[in-house]
Amino acid sequence: MGLYTAAGDRITKAAFPAAAISDPEKKITADVYATRTFDTGTRPSDTRDGTPEGSIRTLLFKAGAVLRQSQIDALFPEATVTEISPATGPAAGGTVVTITGTNLDGVSDVKFGGTAGTNVMVLSAGRLQATTPAGAAGTVDVVVGDEAGAVTKSGAFTYA
């Protein structure tokens, strides 16, 4: 008995054909649930205003399950920003802007030209609101931050 390569060579413990990986396993310590909105359907009668009426919660991972770090990372996709509205406001700040994009439900901060916005409120996975801080007249980048990192929308807001 022993272990052998496909060519028939014996494998020793020291020469076992394996390499260290940089994707460690993690043991889940509590049940993890995922939520998603109900489908809006295709008929107007499916919802009153065309938006989902609630959400469905399902068990994603049971406590004790073992996942690779890359699998966990994939559960937290990076946000994207497609639009800032309104795109202009006074230099004194105080403009409530709506940011649209994807994966915005994990956003915890919004910066306008490097200064933190206030009253950040996630409305859905595709929309959030924030109030602009005071800033110098001109165009600034808008940066949203979440667990996956920071995403910059260059020149997205203009202080008048």
Side-chain angles (χ1 to χ4, degrees):
M1 168 112 182
L3 301 175
Y4 297 88
T5 66
D9 300 324
R10 190 172 194 324
I11 300 171
T12 64
K13 183 176 180 181
F16 191 83
I21 58 172
S22 60
D23 191 8
E25 291 181 331
K26 303 275 183 142
K27 185 174 184 178
I28 306 298
T29 58
D31 290 348
V32 176
Y33 292 85
T35 59
R36 65 176 176 84
T37 56
F38 284 126
D39 293 331
T40 57
T42 57
R43 300 179 314 234
S45 62
D46 288 342
T47 60
R48 295 181 197 272
D49 61 1
T51 59
E53 297 279 329
S55 61
I56 299 171
R57 186 177 117 170
T58 55
L59 180 64
L60 189 60
F61 300 109
K62 189 98 174 113
V66 176
L67 300 176
R68 295 230 173 256
Q69 183 64 51
S70 61
Q71 292 172 289
I72 296 169
D73 293 344
L75 297 171
F76 298 91
E78 187 176 83
T80 64
V81 175
T82 55
E83 183 181 6
I84 311 288
S85 179
T88 28
T95 302
V96 176
V97 299
T98 299
I99 299 171
T100 57
T102 60
N103 305 317
L104 298 173
D105 49 343
V107 170
S108 57
D109 70 294
V110 178
K111 293 181 179 166
F112 296 84
T115 305
T118 58
N119 304 321
V120 176
M121 183 179 3
V122 174
L123 304 173
S124 69
R127 287 185 344 138
L128 63 87
Q129 287 183 330
T131 303
T132 61
T139 302
V140 296
D141 295 344
V142 176
V143 180
V144 297
D146 65 9
E147 301 102 345
V151 176
T152 302
K153 182 77 169 170
S154 299
F157 190 80
T158 302
Y159 285 105

